[in-house]
């Protein structure tokens, strides 16, 4: 018989279960060593869990006793501790400040910044503006991972502490896009695993230092599921390998450096607004293109040309590139070729204030960013089907080259009655950035001449995603998140990938009919407009 390990929970314990794309659902353990009749002999699940009525009340089972699958119930919010544990804000700030100063001495720490009061935080359902007395605060760390492991390279971490610090441990967010089974899709290091790891480090260390050591140790821990941990480490190793190999082939070394973005590379108007950093200065460089779509000058000409040369050089190197998404065959995820430190600076220093100015709340805080270059050319990818981005705020900068066509079509917000109605056709301009919410339906018209490269930054805000606002626009809430459409869609807003009525209004191009006809899901049945007609699937 296989060796049995003690289970972490007992009957009656409150737990949170990982429901995949639907997030975490709360409930209580109702049975241990659970089995279903049709399971082969020997198969069992460690726990049966009854979900709370607010999560549907179903009986489910947890397939593994690991923190990624089932963990102690999460507090409803991490921003504000229980009242009895809260300390005066000034004390917490002082404690964090002196710990940050000491962290600079810690091996592997390249930079330690903060504490900084968060510009926005969630209290479980709502977003609120923290104050110096409530917190929470963040400390940002740029570190190298554990030496000799697949996580050795540059890492950007953000520690979020509330006013019960250090009694309440910090939440650790890994902004770098590394593969690790203990890091959630949004980049949060598993809370239960962190609590266990903290216990392994001496409490004589300062609490921040202890948190950092525990976090680093966890990244390279074999994990409970060794195979998964090894797969993640391998994919990380491959990424580091590409970064290392390309580091010898870089054409413009400055594009990869921490201070790549400066008065020399940014557009002078942008630099002026950034230096002044007032609402008036930002407003002065913004063009309102349509409701919630803005554009502004970001890069200067020479910088765009250098960026393009770098992309051409990477393509020419023959090194493997990870593609940004399934719709894009020629794009490159630039974080994975070694540009991450530079792009972190672009996002967190320069684009964050823009997002805050344009989209207060959702744009007030940025965690991870997924950044890539897309390339369109006659004979290659021509355009991009209508879609929404898995981002909260998207920045899209045109790098060149010369081209015709390729308008960026905007429709409505996902799930809104007018989400398939046209609102804007934006024409890209060299060095100019268009910025919009990720849930806005948009797509790129085909290029008719030349070649186009754009730098796209998808930014995410965990605070926003934990609040009630997120589920309204969340891709997964197709059942509830869609309101009835007001009428038939505009042709330009149709998506051959997603829509059920594409073929009713438009001819499919080439092979897309075989791939997509009759396979769409949009609009969901309850949101169909009057006299809706779905296309006929192919036989
Ligand atoms: O090609 C463009 O300008 C749009 C690209 C885009 O929307 C995306 O990659 O998400
Ligand atoms: Fe997009």
């Amino acid at each position: 018989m296989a060796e049995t390990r003690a289970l972490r929970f007992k009957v009656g314990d409150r737990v949170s279960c990982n429901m995949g794309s639907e997030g975490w659902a709360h409930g209580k353990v109702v049975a241990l060593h659970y089995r279903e009749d049709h399971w082969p002999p020997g198969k069992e699940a460690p726990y049966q869990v009854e979900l709370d009525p607010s999560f549907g009340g179903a009986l489910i089972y947890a397939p593994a006793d690991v923190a990624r699958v089932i963990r102690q119930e999460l507090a409803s919010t991490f921003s504000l501790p229980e009242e009895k544990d809260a300390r005066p804000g000034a004390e917490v700030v002082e404690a964090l400040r002196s710990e940050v100063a000491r962290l600079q001495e810690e091996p592997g720490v390249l930079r330690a910044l903060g504490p900084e009061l968060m510009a926005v935080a969630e209290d479980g359902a709502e977003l609120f503006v923290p104050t110096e007395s409530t917190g929470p605060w963040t400390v940002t760390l740029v570190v190298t991972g554990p030496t000799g492991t697949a996580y050795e390279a540059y890492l950007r971490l953000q520690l979020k502490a509330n006013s019960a610090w250090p009694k309440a441990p910090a939440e650790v967010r890994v902004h770098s896009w590394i593969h690790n089974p203990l890091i959630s899709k949004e980049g949060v290091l598993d809370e239960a695993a962190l609590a266990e790891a903290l216990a392994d480090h001496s409490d004589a260390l300062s609490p921040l230092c202890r948190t950092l050591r525990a976090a680093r140790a966890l990244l390279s821990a074999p994990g409970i599921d060794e195979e998964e941990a090894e797969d993640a480490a391998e994919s990380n190793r491959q990424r580091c390998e590409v970064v290392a190999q390309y580091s010898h082939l870089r054409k413009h070394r400055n594009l990869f450096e921490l201070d790549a973005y400066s008065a020399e590379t940014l557009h002078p108007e942008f630099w002026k607004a950034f230096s002044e950093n007032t609402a008036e200065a930002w407003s002065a460089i913004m063009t309102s293109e349509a409701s919630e779509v803005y554009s502004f000058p970001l890069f200067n000409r020479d910088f765009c040309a250098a960026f393009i040369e770098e992309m051409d050089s990477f393509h020419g190197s023959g090194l493997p590139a990870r593609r940004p998404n399934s719709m894009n065959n020629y794009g490159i995820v630039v974080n994975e070729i070694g540009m991450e430190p530079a792009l972190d600076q672009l996002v967190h220093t320069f684009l964050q204030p823009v997002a805050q100015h344009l989209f207060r709340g959702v744009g007030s805080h940025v965690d991870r960013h997924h950044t890539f270059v897309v390339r369109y050319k006659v004979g290659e990818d021509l355009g991009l089907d209508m879609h929404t981005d898995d981002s909260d705020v998207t920045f899209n900068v045109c790098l060149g080259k010369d081209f015709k066509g390729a308008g960026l079509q905007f429709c409505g917000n996902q799930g809104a009655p007018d989400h398939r109605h046209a609102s804007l056709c934006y024409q890209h301009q060299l060095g100019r950035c268009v910025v919009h919410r990720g849930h806005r339906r948009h797509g790129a018209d085909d290029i008719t001449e030349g070649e186009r490269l754009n730098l796209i930054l998808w930014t995410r805000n965990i605070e926003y995603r934990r609040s009630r606002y997120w589920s309204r626009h969340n891709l997964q809430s197709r059942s509830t998140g869609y309101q009835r459409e007001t009428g038939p869609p505009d042709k330009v807003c149709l998506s051959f990938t997603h829509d059920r009525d594409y073929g009713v209004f438009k001819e499919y191009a080439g092979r897309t009919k075989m791939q997509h006809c009759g396979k769409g899901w949009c609009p969901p049945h309850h949101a169909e407009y009057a006299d809706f007609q779905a296309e006929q699937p192919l036989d």
Side-chain angles (χ1 to χ4, degrees), residues 387 389 442 458:
H387 66 283
D389 298 338
H442 61 285
W458 288 5

Side-chain angles (χ1 to χ4, degrees), residues 403-417:
F403 58 88
K404 291 212 172 105
L408 186 58
Q409 298 283 356
F410 285 91
C411 303
N413 285 339
Q414 177 172 319

Side-chain angles (χ1 to χ4, degrees), residues 325 327 372 384-385 387-391 394 396 408 436 438 440 442-443 456 458:
N325 54 55
M327 301 183 288
F372 51 94
L384 190 62
D385 189 26
H387 66 283
T388 54
D389 298 338
D390 188 5
S391 78
T394 295
N396 176 345
L408 186 58
H436 58 88
R440 186 72 172 256
H442 61 285
I456 319 272
W458 288 5

Side-chain angles (χ1 to χ4, degrees), residues 354-368:
V354 176
Q356 153 88 346
H357 174 73
L358 297 176
F359 301 108
R360 196 162 287 271
V362 58
S364 302
H365 174 82
V366 174
D367 289 291
R368 277 185 162 183

Side-chain angles (χ1 to χ4, degrees), residues 20-323:
S21 53
E22 286 160 49
W24 292 85
H26 307 318
K28 69 171 190 285
V29 175
V30 290
L32 306 181
H33 302 292
Y34 171 76
R35 266 189 55 76
E36 292 194 356
D37 293 344
H38 59 93
W39 285 358
K43 176 174 171 175
E44 66 167 36
Y47 304 108
Q48 188 183 33
V49 173
E50 183 182 330
L51 295 180
D52 291 349
S54 56
F55 290 93
L59 282 169
I60 61 166
Y61 67 85
D65 189 18
V66 296
R68 190 169 30 81
V69 170
I70 180 167
R71 59 193 190 187
Q72 204 176 356
E73 185 178 25
L74 295 174
S76 63
T77 174
F78 191 79
S79 302
L80 300 165
E82 282 183 44
E83 223 166 294
K84 67 175 174 40
D85 293 332
R87 298 167 66 197
E91 263 181 34
V92 179
V93 170
E94 201 32 56
L96 286 169
R97 189 169 293 138
S98 65
E99 288 182 50
V100 168
R102 274 194 278 162
L103 264 187
Q104 316 269 8
E105 314 297 312
E106 178 74 6
V109 172
L110 306 175
R111 275 188 190 187
L113 305 166
E116 207 177 312
L117 183 66
M118 292 188 83
V120 72
E122 51 78 33
D123 73 359
E126 301 297 329
L127 290 174
F128 70 97
V129 179
T131 67
E132 287 294 351
S133 61
T134 62
W137 299 268
T138 57
V139 168
T140 302
L141 301 173
V142 177
V143 303
T144 52
T147 321
T149 73
Y151 300 98
E152 200 170 7
Y154 165 98
L155 281 181
R156 188 178 199 274
L157 306 177
Q158 193 162 65
L159 277 40
K160 175 181 171 187
N162 66 26
S163 63
W165 174 262
K167 184 173 174 196
E171 181 177 75
V172 177
R173 296 181 181 178
V174 183
H175 284 170
S176 306
W177 219 282
I178 57 172
H179 309 272
N180 189 295
L182 289 174
I183 301 175
S184 75
K185 176 169 174 266
E186 302 305 352
V188 180
L189 189 60
D190 191 287
E191 189 189 332
L194 181 65
E196 279 168 29
L198 278 170
D200 295 341
H201 289 81
S202 159
D203 55 12
L205 293 168
S206 84
L208 271 187
C209 178
R210 196 164 163 228
T211 308
L212 175 61
R213 289 197 189 178
R216 291 173 106 203
L218 272 184
L219 291 180
S220 55
I224 295 174
D225 184 340
E226 279 182 36
E227 204 177 317
E228 192 177 1
E230 190 37 52
D231 284 352
E234 182 51 34
S235 101
N236 227 51
R237 242 175 252 123
Q238 285 170 8
R239 172 190 153 144
C240 291
E241 181 113 350
V242 172
V243 171
Q245 287 184 16
Y246 192 65
S247 70
H248 305 294
L249 304 171
R250 291 174 185 172
K251 207 165 167 73
H252 296 280
R253 302 201 157 266
N254 59 320
L255 285 180
F256 296 80
E257 277 156 20
L258 264 174
D259 56 359
Y261 298 88
S262 65
E264 267 96 77
T265 49
L266 296 169
H267 192 285
E269 280 182 39
F270 182 88
W271 187 255
K272 181 168 180 288
F274 172 77
S275 308
E276 291 176 23
N277 196 21
T278 60
E280 293 71 36
W282 286 120
S283 295
I285 64 161
M286 293 294 151
T287 302
S288 172
E289 302 283 351
S291 163
E292 297 199 326
V293 183
Y294 305 89
S295 74
F296 61 94
L298 181 60
F299 299 152
N300 67 30
R301 243 166 211 285
D302 290 349
F303 183 76
C304 291
F307 211 118
I308 285 196
E309 275 185 17
E310 197 65 57
M311 292 300 104
D312 287 346
S313 152
F314 185 82
H315 277 292
S317 74
L319 286 169
R322 200 162 71 80
R323 303 299 173 200

Side-chain angles (χ1 to χ4, degrees), residues 432-450:
R432 203 166 174 89
C433 178
V434 57
V435 50
H436 58 88
R437 296 290 314 275
H439 64 228
R440 186 72 172 256
R441 189 177 254 234
H442 61 285
D445 287 343
D446 285 354
I447 193 165
T448 52
E449 261 180 50

